[in-house]
Amino acid sequence: MIRSAVVSDIPVIHAMIRELAAYEKVPHEARATEEQLREALFGERPAAFAHVALTPEGEAVGFSLWFLSFSTWRGVHGIYLEDLYVRPGVRGGGYGKSLLRELARICGERGYERLEWAVLKWNEPSIAFYEAVGARPQDEWSVYRLTDGALAELGAS
């Protein structure tokens, strides 16, 4: 079962974010706190949204965290999927596909024309999964990022 996250899901979402960071070999980069997640997802002006995947017994075993994007070329919103994670013990059980299906359903319902995300080039299991549901890499684009000192330096210049 897939449902929208609720405030009481914050601790398990936070734990899974840390698990994802460890899987991606950068556990030190997962610095978000539960309070930051609570504010981002459920504050006065939510900046992001989340869904959780539940076993038949009601245990949260996966999540998606996303926010709205906007295409100037298409003139409509889309969804940018920041994180999709399913705990290792239940991978292959359809939870990841169900989470993506829910986001695709939301896109269709709201007239959004894109569902996009990034995947690490070495993450072959995820790449195979995404391609199996019809996603295609955007090889002509490279992702750039400013953080920490470089971000502060540019902002101060």
Side-chain angles (χ1 to χ4, degrees):
M1 180 176 108
I2 306 300
R3 65 163 169 73
S4 294
V6 295
V7 173
S8 62
D9 293 320
I10 294 293
V12 73
I13 291 171
H14 186 255
M16 287 190 281
I17 288 170
R18 297 189 61 74
E19 291 169 24
L20 175 59
Y23 173 77
E24 292 184 351
K25 303 175 180 141
V26 288
H28 59 281
E29 291 188 22
R31 300 185 303 223
T33 66
E34 287 185 21
E35 185 52 43
Q36 287 173 311
L37 288 174
R38 187 175 291 105
E39 182 62 28
L41 296 171
F42 302 106
E44 186 177 316
R45 297 174 63 186
F49 308 92
H51 287 82
V52 292
L54 304 170
T55 65
E57 298 76 32
E59 178 188 357
V61 293
F63 79 101
S64 62
L65 195 143
W66 56 277
F67 53 88
L68 294 179
S69 60
F70 184 80
S71 170
T72 57
W73 290 16
R74 296 200 175 204
V76 296
H77 282 292
I79 287 177
Y80 188 85
L81 176 60
E82 179 66 18
D83 287 333
L84 176 72
Y85 179 75
V86 174
R87 287 188 156 151
V90 295
R91 289 184 187 154
Y95 295 105
K97 188 172 184 178
S98 293
L99 285 161
L100 279 178
R101 183 181 298 120
E102 177 61 10
L103 297 182
R105 186 195 67 74
I106 290 168
C107 286
E109 179 182 272
R110 297 180 186 178
Y112 302 164
E113 295 187 13
R114 289 183 179 167
L115 173 54
E116 298 179 303
W117 60 90
V119 61
L120 291 164
K121 291 183 180 186
W122 59 259
N123 193 346
E124 293 179 18
S126 293
I127 291 168
F129 166 70
Y130 295 140
E131 290 182 354
V133 298
R136 296 293 170 253
Q138 301 297 297
D139 293 333
E140 65 275 11
W141 294 92
S142 293
V143 176
Y144 282 80
R145 178 178 295 159
L146 277 171
T147 62
D148 304 325
L151 179 61
E153 184 178 323
L154 181 61
S157 66

